Amino acid sequence: MTDPQQLIRDMQSLDCNALSNDRKTRSELLAASQALCSRLETPWDTILRMITIEVYRLLPFRPSPNLLPAVLLSVKIATDLRLFSTIHRLENAATCSQLASTLDLESSFVERLCRHLVAAHILVCHYATGKFTLTPLATELGTSDSGMSGAITFMLEVYFPVFARIPALLRQQRYTAQNGLFKEASGTDQSLYDFLGANPERSEQFFGMVTGYAATRQKWTDVYSTNSLLEPHASTAPSSEVAFVDVGGGNGHDIVELLAKHPSLASRLVLQDLPDVLATSDVPDGVGKVAHDFFTPQPLRNARAYFLHSVLHNYNDNDAVKILQMLKPALKRGWSRVLITDVVIPEENPGLLACSLDMRMLWNFGSGERSERQWRNVIEKARLSVKKIWWPAWEGACVIECILEE
């Protein structure tokens, strides 16, 4: 048995800064420490954590395991007050009296707020001087426009009220949510995306949250062997010069990632989405844009790869099959492939984050994240074959490489 006291010393002496660029090891350490916490807790410890402090697992990105419920409220209050940016302006060291005077607040309130943030490891208190300094998280909240503040606001003001109504709605609908529950739960009579389209400020908060989540995942270009997109046409290859069609590609961020690795591909890349989406997209010169609804037949034939990133998880199995079937006539046997980049939930020991996202997709859209078995079922119904599933080295989406059915 490991000596508990030695384990504590080892944990306290771990140089986390040395792991700043080693995301795989950091992910493994986080998973192991969270699993250890679960084993150490009594049942009431766990319940109290869930109802009083734990919310960061609900966030689609995890800037810190310290963004937890009562703490989340204090962080929101602190950002509204510009507490973190004020400490930064005061050379990253300020007493309660200085903060109260600068922010025109009662000192007792500032003291209680800062004390809470210190307990949550978001501020650091230097007790000898009575000064507070910023942690890296507080620094980012106070000095950057990374989307964190907007994500917190969206969770508190949009998602939390929706989440609160989900259990009652599920009971009323006998635990089915084929079309999602966002309309009823939000009281807007709008789907999530319609709601975002009608509310630009909420849309900015939501997609900032999505961007933050993506930044914590391994890039698909580091999961999949993109060199295959550079292969010269074999004798059986079609005459088309299109290497990569980003179907439903939004603003084109995946094409930008691909070009970072292969700048010479620009003229052979095509971004597809609805006209109003393409109008606001920003891709490098040379990249093609084609307006397209992926529920209709694919107009570009014989491309090397047709790419679907976080598209199919928005749809139930029937719709996902239809989207794939719309691609089939465009595929060249022996040359073209469909690349589905999405979460694949392991059949055994599934991760908590992936399963939480799955439940959120159910509530939002009546869809969900899929296990490998469920993905294979959808792909086979579309009369395609799975050539290979490319798994990330650390947290991120898989790339499911599909070809025409043999």
Side-chain angles (χ1 to χ4, degrees):
M1 175 181 172
T2 302
D3 177 13
Q5 293 303 315
Q6 183 59 49
L7 177 60
I8 292 170
R9 288 191 291 272
D10 289 343
M11 293 172 68
Q12 291 172 336
S13 64
L14 181 66
D15 184 1
C16 296
N17 291 329
L19 299 172
S20 60
N21 294 318
D22 187 352
R23 291 190 170 184
K24 182 176 186 296
T25 301
R26 284 197 294 119
S27 294
E28 291 172 347
L29 282 168
L30 280 168
S33 62
Q34 289 163 6
L36 177 61
C37 287
S38 297
R39 295 201 302 272
L40 287 171
E41 288 175 336
T42 67
W44 264 110
D45 287 335
T46 303
I47 291 298
L48 289 171
R49 169 171 55 80
M50 291 172 66
I51 65 175
T52 61
I53 61 172
E54 183 163 298
V55 75
Y56 83 103
R57 295 179 192 274
L58 296 175
L59 287 165
F61 70 94
R62 288 181 288 172
S64 166
N66 301 322
L67 278 185
L68 313 168
V71 178
L72 194 69
L73 292 174
S74 287
V75 170
K76 169 63 174 165
I77 293 166
T79 54
D80 287 349
L81 289 172
R82 301 187 182 279
L83 179 80
F84 302 128
S85 58
T86 299
I87 295 174
H88 181 75
R89 287 200 311 274
L90 295 172
E91 299 182 351
N92 193 25
T95 64
C96 276
S97 296
Q98 287 176 302
L99 290 170
S101 175
T102 303
L103 298 171
D104 192 22
L105 296 169
E106 290 187 6
S107 182
S108 60
F109 173 76
V110 174
E111 180 180 0
R112 295 174 73 175
L113 180 62
C114 289
R115 182 172 61 198
H116 192 195
L117 295 171
V118 168
H121 306 289
I122 292 172
L123 290 180
V124 176
C125 183
H126 302 270
Y127 295 101
T129 62
K131 290 189 174 183
F132 297 94
T133 58
L134 304 174
T135 62
L137 171 59
T139 299
E140 185 151 356
L141 285 165
T143 63
S144 77
D145 188 22
S146 65
M148 284 188 186
S149 295
I152 292 168
T153 299
F154 191 89
M155 291 297 296
L156 286 171
E157 297 180 2
V158 179
Y159 261 160
F160 278 15
V162 167
F163 292 162
R165 297 184 180 101
I166 293 296
L169 286 170
L170 280 172
R171 282 197 303 272
Q172 292 170 14
Q173 299 186 17
R174 300 184 63 82
Y175 296 93
T176 62
Q178 293 182 357
N179 299 311
L181 298 170
F182 185 86
K183 283 185 181 181
E184 297 90 338
S186 65
T188 63
D189 198 31
Q190 294 174 306
S191 69
L192 174 61
Y193 286 139
D194 288 341
F195 169 78
L196 296 175
N199 296 274
E201 183 179 5
R202 295 302 191 195
S203 180
E204 182 179 355
Q205 293 167 353
F206 178 84
F207 286 107
M209 190 163 58
V210 171
T211 300
Y213 167 76
T216 69
R217 312 290 98 181
Q218 187 175 11
K219 294 180 180 179
W220 75 271
T221 50
D222 294 329
V223 176
Y224 180 72
S225 178
T226 55
N227 287 333
S228 65
L229 301 174
L230 302 174
E231 293 174 1
H233 290 165
S235 59
T236 57
S239 59
S240 170
E241 288 296 321
V242 177
F244 183 88
V245 182
D246 191 357
V247 183
N251 64 6
H253 61 278
D254 288 306
I255 282 180
V256 172
E257 285 184 4
L258 183 58
L259 283 175
K261 291 189 72 172
H262 306 294
S264 64
L265 276 179
S267 64
R268 299 176 61 201
L269 307 181
V270 176
L271 174 66
Q272 289 184 336
D273 215 306
L274 298 175
D276 58 332
V277 178
L278 285 184
T280 61
S281 63
D282 183 20
V283 290
D285 292 340
V287 174
K289 291 185 181 182
V290 175
H292 175 59
D293 177 350
F294 46 58
F295 281 107
T296 62
Q298 172 59 236
L300 298 179
R301 303 177 70 87
N302 302 330
R304 182 65 162 142
Y306 297 88
F307 183 76
L308 295 160
H309 189 174
S310 297
V311 170
L312 299 184
H313 78 156
N314 289 322
Y315 297 95
N316 61 36
D317 285 359
N318 290 336
D319 285 340
V321 168
K322 183 176 181 180
I323 292 169
L324 292 174
Q325 288 175 332
M326 292 298 101
L327 293 172
K328 275 189 62 181
L331 304 182
K332 172 71 174 181
R333 189 175 297 278
W335 176 253
S336 302
R337 72 282 312 277
V338 177
L339 303 178
I340 302 169
T341 299
D342 239 316
V343 170
V344 178
I345 301 176
E347 299 292 347
E348 298 182 3
N349 302 315
L352 179 57
L353 180 61
C355 294
S356 298
L357 292 174
D358 175 47
M359 295 305 293
R360 196 181 67 187
M361 296 304 293
L362 174 66
W363 302 332
N364 282 343
F365 306 111
S367 60
E369 311 297 350
R370 295 177 172 92
S371 67
E372 180 177 345
R373 173 181 53 80
Q374 290 167 328
W375 274 117
R376 289 183 180 276
N377 181 52
V378 166
I379 291 163
E380 289 169 6
K381 283 184 177 178
R383 296 290 189 265
L384 295 172
S385 295
V386 176
K387 181 180 180 182
K388 180 177 179 178
I389 298 179
W390 300 74
W391 294 84
W394 42 279
E395 290 181 334
C398 292
V399 179
I400 308 173
E401 186 174 10
C402 306
I403 57 175
L404 284 171
E405 201 171 48
E406 299 293 342

